[in-house]
């Protein structure tokens, strides 16, 4: 279902642009995991997960609300790119073996898609 949703999102964006030619869209995504109560960016996996104090911080802004500081947001322009980023981030997740599963995820992950619209 996820690849179909990714494709349909951009179909709907194009329909809106075709309906009102001055309408503009910006689609951005981010992907992070929470592992041992520490937040790691899955689209920018350069941080050392073993380093003390590693990870990103959750902050609160009076206008923006709650957000993850320094989380990489990527601009995407089609469903294939969205799926590719999701796949690449999934490969960066923390995994380990358990008695029930040879490659079990050891974290929770959140993939966010933000769609910004501007009517000129």
């Amino acid at each position: 279902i996820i690849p179909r949703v990714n494709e349909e999102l951009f179909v709907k964006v194009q329909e809106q642009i075709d309906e009102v030619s001055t309408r503009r869209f910006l689609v951005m995504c981010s992907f992070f995991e929470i592992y041992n109560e520490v937040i790691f960016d899955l689209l920018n996996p350069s941080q050392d997960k073993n380093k003390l104090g590693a990870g990103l911080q959750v902050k609160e802004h009076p206008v923006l609300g709650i957000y993850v500081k320094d989380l990489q947001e990527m601009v995407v322009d089609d469903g294939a790119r969205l799926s590719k980023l999701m796949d690449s981030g999934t490969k960066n997740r923390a995994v380990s073996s358990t008695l029930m599963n040879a490659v079990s995820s050891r974290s929770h992950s959140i993939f966010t898609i933000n769609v910004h619209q501007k009517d000129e």
Side-chain angles (χ1 to χ4, degrees), residues 4-15:
R4 289 189 305 222
V5 169
N6 290 348
E7 289 298 326
E8 189 63 23
L9 170 66
F10 290 96
V11 168
K12 293 296 182 188
V13 163
Q14 190 58 53
E15 286 174 2

Side-chain angles (χ1 to χ4, degrees), residues 20-108:
V20 180
S21 63
T22 58
R23 188 168 287 161
R24 301 290 176 250
F25 287 89
L26 177 64
V27 181
M28 302 176 73
C29 70
S30 62
F31 197 11
F32 66 91
E33 74 174 339
I34 303 169
Y35 176 67
N36 286 336
E37 299 182 14
V38 181
I39 299 170
F40 297 103
D41 190 337
L42 294 173
L43 298 180
N44 184 20
S46 60
Q47 69 265 25
D48 183 2
K49 294 183 180 183
N50 297 320
K51 181 179 158 189
L52 186 62
L56 304 176
Q57 298 176 338
V58 175
K59 297 288 187 178
E60 185 171 5
H61 186 276
V63 175
L64 302 174
I66 296 177
Y67 68 99
V68 178
K69 183 180 178 191
D70 298 327
L71 180 65
Q72 179 82 36
E73 285 190 293
M74 306 291 286
V75 174
V76 290
D77 55 7
D78 62 28
R81 174 80 171 133
L82 203 53
S83 293
K84 184 177 178 182
L85 286 170
M86 189 177 286
D87 290 343
S88 106
T90 299
K91 290 176 186 168
N92 293 324
R93 289 188 68 193
V95 294
S96 182
S97 63
T98 66
L99 294 175
M100 297 286 290
N101 192 342
V103 184
S104 175
S105 169
R106 309 312 296 162
S107 66
H108 299 282

